[in-house]
Amino acid sequence: TMAEIEAELSRIEKFEEFDSTARSGAETLDEAELEFIEAEMETEFLLELQDDPELAEGDFAELAGDAPLEPTLREAMTDVDGRGVSLFQVAKYLARVTYRVLKRYIRKRDHGLYPTVIEEILREFYLADFGAWTWGRMKDIAAEMWLPNGPVIDENAHPGAYFLDKLAAHMASRPGFTLDLIGHSAGSIAICEMLRAAEVAGRRPPVRNIVFLAPACLTSLMHREIVAHPERFERFRMFTMSDAYEQKDQLVRGLYTRSLLYFISGVLEDSPDVPIAGMERFWSEPALFDDPALTETVAWLGAAGEDRAVLSVTADGATGGLTSASQKHGDFDNDPATLASLTHLVSQAVT
């Protein structure tokens, strides 16, 4: 009922008790049936919308307010007179969102009921376009910063290439020099791109430790530049949250009830539920994704005796270099337990 919906929306943890109901309901559907009932959903939504006088008689501009809808979408949802709401179009979009939410549940690719609905609303109504563009541009910059420089170093020079030049000179004057690379969140992308660029340039640095803290890179990128190239480093370790804490880390309190990594995976990447390296969610059932790179990465992270993955919050008594008490995405660069692990790692010889 609307009363139940409004009660859930007022809670900090929204619709959590309905997840099992949604999953059990999805088990009774298949994708072929879902295709068939999408048109029925449009009709049902249209009938409900017609019973709402605020929508049926309202002014679209007032109802939409400052929502950053994509212009063509805004035009499509406006009635023929340019003022009212095209209830038919709104019903069509709502049915499409519902269809995609149900499809993700059928495929076990959901992020929980409320977050999945929010993700698909953002994708359908173009509210995510600017964020997706910004995130895509960040990844482009992480790659472009390592492009070769010309003879003149100025404000247009590539800082990554400049760093590699200075690093090569530093190494030449210090035999036995080794490097530890530590990247938090999108820093993992910069490290992957650095390793690739250094290899292409023929000046691979002597990397001892690579440490990822809640990495936001795609698992496919990590596989391509790290898992597939063990010769590039001596030891790898990832510190990230267990999925239970990832789900509790609300990116926008009361609006989006999952973590930043969930948001990147569900909204900012090209398709929803893309495997992100720092998300334990993708380690539990890699077969769902039919992706050899993901399967190999999960097996590599969990290889016996290698201690490549540390999930916070770690249990009391965890050994040196394997502790973390981070409960939020932003904790990993200031959590005392994680910092103690980093100190332990960089002060120990690799065996």
Side-chain angles (χ1 to χ4, degrees):
T1 65
M2 284 305 300
E4 289 175 319
I5 292 172
E6 290 171 1
E8 285 297 319
L9 289 173
S10 68
R11 290 159 53 95
I12 295 175
E13 305 290 344
K14 305 177 190 299
F15 298 93
E16 294 292 327
E17 296 179 2
F18 289 81
D19 279 345
S20 59
T21 304
R23 289 193 174 87
S24 62
E27 290 174 359
T28 66
L29 296 172
D30 58 42
E31 290 192 37
E33 182 181 4
L34 190 60
E35 297 278 353
F36 179 75
I37 65 175
E38 185 176 6
E40 292 182 16
M41 289 191 289
E42 287 185 22
T43 302
E44 290 179 7
F45 277 124
L46 181 58
L47 292 173
E48 290 188 25
L49 293 171
Q50 288 173 337
D51 288 338
D52 187 331
E54 185 178 5
L55 280 176
E57 302 170 9
D59 180 88
F60 181 86
E62 292 181 6
L63 291 169
D66 295 328
L69 296 172
E70 198 269 339
T72 58
L73 183 68
R74 182 179 286 268
E75 182 179 345
M77 294 175 65
T78 306
D79 212 342
V80 289
D81 62 3
R83 290 180 54 82
V85 181
S86 172
L87 299 182
F88 173 77
Q89 288 294 335
V90 174
K92 183 177 179 180
Y93 288 121
L94 290 175
R96 192 178 302 168
V97 168
T98 305
Y99 166 82
R100 293 210 293 241
V101 170
L102 288 171
K103 189 173 183 178
R104 286 178 61 180
Y105 265 91
I106 290 172
R107 294 183 173 186
K108 298 183 179 179
R109 303 289 297 275
D110 65 278
H111 291 171
L113 180 58
Y114 178 77
T116 305
V117 171
I118 293 297
E119 290 167 7
E120 293 303 329
I121 287 174
L122 290 173
R123 284 183 172 276
E124 183 61 40
F125 291 93
Y126 297 90
L127 290 165
D129 270 11
F130 177 74
W133 177 86
T134 303
W135 177 242
R137 186 61 192 134
M138 285 176 62
K139 294 195 293 183
D140 291 342
I141 291 171
E144 294 167 2
M145 65 188 287
W146 308 101
L147 292 174
N149 285 319
V152 177
I153 301 298
D154 56 19
E155 65 273 13
N156 297 314
H158 300 292
Y162 179 80
F163 168 74
L164 289 177
D165 289 339
K166 293 298 183 181
L167 178 63
H170 186 79
M171 287 163 44
S173 64
R174 290 167 176 79
F177 175 82
T178 58
L179 190 65
D180 292 325
L181 301 174
I182 302 175
H184 181 209
S185 195
S188 61
I189 302 174
I191 288 176
C192 288
E193 296 293 354
M194 171 191 168
L195 295 172
R196 181 194 62 79
E199 192 76 31
V200 169
R203 50 184 184 183
R204 182 194 304 162
V207 178
R208 183 179 62 158
N209 291 301
I210 295 179
V211 182
F212 280 179
L213 307 174
C217 65
L218 291 171
T219 303
S220 56
L221 177 63
M222 176 177 156
H223 179 272
R224 186 171 70 244
E225 304 302 340
I226 292 180
V227 178
H229 290 285
E231 73 280 2
R232 292 178 174 175
F233 56 92
E234 295 183 47
R235 179 168 56 195
F236 175 90
R237 188 159 296 167
M238 177 197 299
F239 295 84
T240 197
M241 286 187 288
S242 66
D243 191 52
Y245 282 101
E246 203 82 57
Q247 291 190 33
K248 293 177 183 177
D249 181 18
Q250 295 199 10
L251 177 63
V252 183
R253 187 176 176 86
L255 179 60
Y256 185 75
T257 56
R258 293 288 187 264
S259 69
L260 174 62
L261 295 190
Y262 261 101
F263 189 77
I264 291 170
S265 171
V267 178
L268 300 186
E269 289 292 349
D270 293 337
S271 58
D273 199 38
V274 172
I276 300 296
M279 293 179 66
E280 188 200 11
R281 159 179 164 65
F282 298 106
W283 307 356
S284 57
E285 293 186 81
L288 285 176
F289 300 86
D290 191 27
D291 181 355
L294 174 61
T295 303
E296 291 174 17
T297 300
V298 171
W300 184 80
L301 285 171
E306 297 294 340
D307 293 327
R308 291 184 177 130
V310 177
L311 290 173
S312 68
V313 173
T314 52
D316 293 341
T319 57
L322 298 169
T323 62
S324 177
S326 302
Q327 298 183 34
K328 295 183 179 298
H329 183 78
D331 287 352
F332 286 89
D333 58 2
N334 56 24
D335 164 51
T338 307
L339 296 180
S341 291
L342 297 181
T343 302
H344 179 89
L345 274 174
V346 300
S347 62
Q348 297 292 315
V350 176
T351 56

